[in-house]
Amino acid sequence: STPPQARNNSTPPPVGGPNSPERLVVTVSCVFPFRIGRGTGLRPTEKVCTGTSCLKGALFTHLFQEIEAEHLVIDREDLIGDGTYGEVYGGLLTGGEHEGTKVVCKRAKDWGGARGSHTLSEEEMEARIAQFQQLSTGDRENAELAYRYLEIEAFMNDLVMNTCPDAAAPYLGVSIVEGTRWLVWEHVGEGTLEEKLVECDLAGSLQPLAQAIGLGGFVDGDVKSLSRLVNRLATMLLRCCFCLEKNGIAHRDVKPYNLLLRDGRLVMIDFGSAAAMGEAERTGYDWHKSPCDPRYAPPEQFIDEVEWAKYDLYCVGLILVRVLFPPLWCGEHFDEFADSFHSAQYDLDTWLRRLISEDNELSRQLRLDAQESRMRGDEELEFLETEYVALAEESCVLHPEARRLNMCSIKEGLEVLNLKDSGGICWDTLRSMIALEPASRLSTRKILQILGSDDKSLTYQI
């Protein structure tokens, strides 16, 4: 075990003016009021800077806030989320700077996130250690991971709030209540993108999503309307990713569950899998472990140390596929798609050919047309893009009442991807986002430029 250690609240040395020769060493320590335990993968990062360049580091060191336990009321009946390593509850702040604010509170699972808490007595600490030692190997590993991911999430939320706060839900700090460590955010938003997609699936319409992201004039069944929706969604997501990327952060778990709808835009939550790839210590990164959701994770799963920014880009690409193809709005159907997509070697064209092959009439027609065309390479892809829509139209004639995943059910999405002159998401951009090799994917900046975001908007806006 590691003995508790209080956070250093001393005032940092004064920062010199723009031309000051003074040097300030800023130590960015763990964001918790205790020493980092052995095996957590988190270490203090020492940054040496001069003049006003120190300001950012100095502010970050003191950005983290402790929330007094008596000010935090956690509603144990209001379970918002229950994941592998954490539990999320609703709550309320009854005092302090944010008095009256509804909050979301997260703790580590299995061991309560209490190890190293300075609020525990020596006897209570020994009891917790004994309890931990009695766990099975699997449970012990989960407890360690839950504890580690909570530390990482707090560190990353501090970093994000200091660098690109508009990309994430507003993080307020940490509180230790009865020996359990809680991370606290302001309760904002109108639910997650996952919940909105489920709502769309039940309604058989993308109107709920269009309204949630402030897209007026949306018409179901209209290809241009769907293109506008997908482009707006892509722009919102990629701007968040680009802001994180500029500040050296990879989220590594971008998926609808972790995207919160707020005031007509999307913000990210759950930074427990994030990695600070832009800093020397690479907090959160472990070369032989890769926390991820296999449904959305790119083929490399273990983040590429050079092309690390392409990880989140791939996840955004798969989210767009899910929005484009209506049967995938349902989470269970997307799970099935993910399995078949992986078996197709993460190649959307291979997956589509397999979908076509499940319909004997369509498969026969595709073989005949391909034999007649005798095309290869890019020409073959262009032929297939047109052929997909033609086969989807034929599928709608053959299976007009079918609600399952088939070519007819994804016809509008295929037509959107064929809009190459629309200046948005099309076959070329989507293929580049979900390419098998990270180096083959276009940069986030480049795709944003294709979507119409100029350099000024990339620099100053989320």
Side-chain angles (χ1 to χ4, degrees), residues 307-322:
E307 301 283 357
W308 57 266
K310 305 294 182 65
Y311 195 102
D312 291 344
L313 176 69
Y314 180 96
C315 300
V316 171
L318 277 193
I319 291 173
L320 298 182
V321 170
R322 187 172 174 187

Side-chain angles (χ1 to χ4, degrees), residues 169-211:
Y171 175 64
L172 302 180
V174 69
S175 184
I176 298 177
V177 181
E178 297 178 351
T180 298
R181 190 171 302 110
W182 294 87
L183 308 188
V184 182
W185 294 262
E186 183 181 347
H187 196 307
V188 296
E190 301 86 41
T192 65
L193 179 58
E194 179 67 32
E195 292 168 334
K196 194 60 64 176
L197 286 173
V198 171
E199 184 181 343
C200 291
D201 181 56
L202 294 174
S205 165
L206 279 174
Q207 286 288 352
L209 178 57
Q211 293 172 8

Side-chain angles (χ1 to χ4, degrees), residues 253-378:
D253 200 15
V254 178
K255 59 185 179 183
Y257 281 105
N258 291 337
L259 295 166
L260 196 66
L261 289 155
R262 182 190 185 192
D263 301 328
R265 60 190 180 89
L266 288 163
V267 295
M268 294 181 171
I269 58 175
D270 196 348
F271 283 80
S273 300
M277 300 301 291
E279 67 165 12
E281 297 296 326
R282 291 189 170 178
T283 300
Y285 172 69
D286 190 334
W287 69 271
H288 69 286
K289 287 184 180 179
S290 180
C292 67
D293 186 328
R295 295 171 299 174
Y296 292 92
E300 63 268 23
Q301 293 197 355
F302 287 81
I303 195 166
D304 188 295
E305 291 190 1
V306 176
E307 301 283 357
W308 57 266
K310 305 294 182 65
Y311 195 102
D312 291 344
L313 176 69
Y314 180 96
C315 300
V316 171
L318 277 193
I319 291 173
L320 298 182
V321 170
R322 187 172 174 187
V323 173
L324 280 166
F325 297 164
L328 306 187
W329 301 344
C330 169
E332 291 182 5
H333 289 170
F334 181 78
D335 293 348
E336 295 171 2
F337 160 79
D339 290 339
S340 60
F341 183 61
H342 296 166
S343 68
Q345 304 301 310
Y346 296 84
D347 184 274
L348 196 58
D349 291 287
T350 301
W351 176 80
L352 281 167
R353 288 190 187 97
R354 290 186 179 181
L355 185 64
I356 293 168
S357 70
E358 294 174 2
D359 188 312
N360 291 333
E361 290 295 325
L362 294 184
S363 180
R364 185 181 303 112
Q365 186 63 46
L366 178 63
R367 287 196 300 271
L368 289 173
D369 292 346
Q371 288 174 1
E372 291 177 3
S373 68
R374 300 183 182 278
M375 296 179 182
R376 295 291 182 271
D378 292 340

Side-chain angles (χ1 to χ4, degrees), residues 32 222 442:
F32 289 114
D222 181 72
L442 287 178

